[in-house]
Amino acid sequence: VFDHALVRAMGEPAGYDALRTHFPRTPAPVGPTPAAELLAEFRDRLAPHQLNAWHPRTLSYFTPPPLWMSTVGELLAQVTQQGVDVWHAGPAAAFVEEQVVGWLCDLVGYREDGFGLLTSGGVMANFIALALARGDRRGSALEGLRVYASDQAHFSIARGLAELGFPDETLHLIASDERFRLRADPVAEAIRSDRVAGLQPLAIAAVAGSTSTGSVDLVDELADLAARERLWLHVDAAYGGAARLSARDAGRMPGLERADTVTIDPHKWFFQAYDVGALLVRDGALLGATFSHDPEYYRGGGQGGGLDFYRLGFEGTRRWRALKLWLSWRHLGTDGLGRLIEHTNDLAAALADRLRTSSDFELAVDPPELSVVCFRHLPEGGPHDADALDHHQDRLQRDLEASGDGWLSTTRLRGRTWLRAGIVNYLTRESDLDDLLGSLRELGAR
Ligand SMILES: Cc1ncc(COP(=O)(O)O)c(C=O)c1O
């Protein structure tokens, strides 16, 4: 960490072609290698070439520096090798997962009958949610169904529907508003015309904290609509759900308790070591009803008081994902985690303040809803046509990466390219934002 991660945001050399030469294809090792040599190789050959989540100007995809207590939990989980699938193969571990899932259900505002499970991430959680929405429909019964989501929905909604056997036209994408949010009115309109066409609306898949801009769909209005139309409501709060940890900022994440299913990924804004996502279900009994199987070799199956997690989701052997979250949540408390949420939201607001008052930058969404800020550098000496300006953002992203001074991603919004700062880094300070903008100006001028 101290040799590399705090020195450069991205190791060097940056870029695929340059780094490719360091990693030629080699045959599998036939003989042994001493442990000390392997660790030295990690230090010398792998560590210098990484994206460094610990660097204070790494404002990347949702890649937080993991809390140390989370990393400790990850290590203990691996050393103890508990398989949280059939209850008696990891009895205490299953109880810890039950407890952590209960805390997440409380955060969302579900009642006693809410339940859920930890997943590899949001993609798997969204997949399981769509499987629950599908219920026991199969084959031709999936034809003519419609699922509504905005143009900002995560790709896993489309992938999940496709892999669950829904025809391609099932997903009815609806244009988001000027702040990239899905509103109920255009969804209601789409439902009306779909019904007239003889189609059967099934579900609304909202996103609360979108990947590109952190936009939050109007979940309360969408919940009213879903109730009126008797549709399933899924909310993908993979990133944004963590805002509920802060009493101050929880209001930015309204209505989750009204959803049938909610995705929340602790490995995003709960600052957890990879991987740990979660799906929460308002009527928790639906998980077992959808996924239960009874293979002969799980002889202990059924002993676990409903905590045979392999019966509740898609996976078989499952890592003890709950331990790191259980340890680090208890270590900081909801208050402590909430303060980290507030810090990162404050940083996003501070970055937006600087961009708003700078003539050489443009802000995509003002103010940002959560801790994602999308912006563009406007180089001096324009005018530039739109494509040239897009290209300039891509160049800046690559040049910043190569400089090691910071790390941003890019995204496309309404057909144009924007720099994107996803601020889930609790080590960032306001001075880092000034340094980052300074680097971008310098690189941009060049
Ligand atoms: C809104 C949203 N949903 C789902 C996902 C997928 O999560 P994962 O990559 O952890 O599976 C992401 C990832 O960034 C996301 O931003």
Side-chain angles (χ1 to χ4, degrees):
V1 166
F2 291 98
D3 282 350
H4 299 286
L6 297 178
V7 177
R8 285 181 59 92
M10 174 66 87
E12 53 186 344
Y16 182 89
D17 291 338
L19 201 50
R20 175 77 273 175
T21 60
H22 289 249
F23 293 93
R25 220 185 138 152
T26 57
V30 177
T33 305
E37 207 173 294
L38 291 172
L39 293 177
E41 187 166 347
F42 174 81
R43 191 192 59 213
D44 298 338
R45 223 165 74 76
L46 302 186
H49 307 301
Q50 295 172 354
L51 171 67
N52 291 314
W54 294 93
H55 190 279
R57 289 185 297 283
T58 295
L59 306 177
S60 61
Y61 299 112
F62 299 124
T63 306
L67 296 169
W68 280 115
M69 191 55 93
S70 178
T71 306
V72 168
E74 181 67 21
L75 179 64
L76 290 175
Q78 299 307 323
V79 171
T80 56
Q81 186 80 331
Q82 299 298 289
V84 194
D85 38 21
V86 63
W87 175 80
H88 71 171
F95 285 132
V96 173
E97 181 156 342
E98 179 189 44
Q99 205 164 87
V100 165
V101 165
W103 297 346
L104 290 169
C105 283
D106 289 346
L107 203 64
V108 159
Y110 281 161
R111 291 194 296 260
E112 285 287 288
D113 50 354
F115 198 49
L117 78 171
L118 301 181
T119 65
S120 61
V123 169
M124 182 53 85
N126 284 342
F127 178 81
I128 296 173
L130 294 168
L132 298 186
R134 182 184 64 169
D136 54 10
R137 298 175 188 84
R138 294 284 187 284
S140 59
L142 297 176
E143 275 163 29
L145 296 171
R146 287 293 178 269
V147 174
Y148 305 89
S150 92
D151 52 21
Q152 299 300 304
H154 192 261
F155 75 82
S156 53
I157 299 297
R159 177 188 281 175
L161 289 171
E163 298 309 324
L164 286 163
F166 288 92
D168 286 351
E169 58 277 12
T170 305
L171 185 58
H172 190 145
L173 283 185
I174 306 224
S176 52
D177 71 5
E178 73 293 347
R179 287 179 58 78
F180 300 96
R181 305 170 304 182
L182 184 62
R183 294 177 162 277
D185 281 349
V187 183
E189 185 49 45
I191 291 172
R192 233 184 333 267
S193 57
D194 281 346
R195 286 204 198 280
V196 168
L199 301 166
Q200 196 189 335
L202 174 71
I204 300 171
V207 59
S210 66
T211 318
S212 273
T213 66
S215 58
V216 181
D217 290 350
L218 288 124
V219 173
D220 267 322
E221 335 183 328
L222 292 166
D224 289 341
L225 177 64
R228 257 194 333 270
E229 298 282 350
R230 297 182 182 283
L231 304 186
W232 188 277
L233 177 64
H234 173 61
V235 179
D236 176 0
Y239 150 64
R244 288 261 175 129
L245 291 163
S246 153
R248 189 196 79 180
D249 295 348
R252 302 190 195 188
M253 200 48 48
L256 298 184
E257 63 285 352
R258 303 180 63 192
D260 294 287
T261 39
V262 176
T263 290
I264 292 193
D265 276 2
H267 67 201
K268 295 187 167 68
W269 216 6
F270 286 66
F271 319 102
Q272 295 298 302
Y274 290 156
D275 60 22
V276 54
L279 179 72
L280 309 171
V281 186
R282 191 170 51 185
D283 175 5
L286 289 175
L287 287 166
T290 305
F291 287 102
S292 196
H293 274 265
D294 234 343
E296 293 86 358
Y297 41 80
Y298 274 165
R299 299 290 300 141
Q303 283 178 26
L307 290 182
D308 293 324
F309 276 96
Y310 82 90
R311 291 165 179 260
L312 305 182
F314 200 72
E315 293 177 281
T317 302
R318 297 168 72 257
R319 295 154 13 75
W320 189 6
R321 296 190 174 104
L323 181 62
K324 58 194 168 193
L325 182 56
W326 188 81
L327 286 170
S328 50
W329 199 329
R330 294 199 54 205
H331 189 219
L332 296 190
T334 304
D335 287 348
L337 290 172
R339 278 206 292 280
L340 300 184
I341 295 289
E342 290 165 15
H343 175 61
T344 47
N345 275 335
D346 289 348
L347 286 169
L351 179 57
D353 286 345
R354 285 160 172 73
L355 295 166
R356 189 183 304 117
T357 52
S358 303
S359 57
D360 54 347
F361 285 103
E362 183 186 359
L363 191 52
V365 181
D366 190 16
E369 292 209 35
L370 298 169
S371 70
V372 179
V373 182
C374 290
F375 62 101
R376 298 206 281 189
H377 182 242
L378 308 172
E380 225 180 283
H384 281 275
D385 69 31
D387 289 341
L389 200 54
D390 285 351
H391 181 65
H392 180 69
Q393 314 310 316
D394 283 327
R395 273 292 302 273
L396 262 186
Q397 192 278 335
R398 284 199 302 273
D399 289 351
L400 179 68
E401 176 177 290
S403 76
D405 288 347
W407 204 87
L408 300 170
S409 63
T410 55
T411 190
R412 298 274 289 176
L413 299 174
R414 311 261 188 264
R416 306 269 53 121
T417 304
W418 296 75
L419 295 166
R420 174 187 171 282
I423 307 179
V424 292
N425 190 342
Y426 53 82
L427 298 173
T428 307
R429 296 285 172 264
E430 281 206 27
S431 59
D432 291 305
L433 304 176
D434 295 320
D435 291 346
L436 185 73
L437 293 182
S439 298
L440 290 174
R441 284 191 168 109
E442 212 175 289
L443 295 166
R446 249 187 258 161

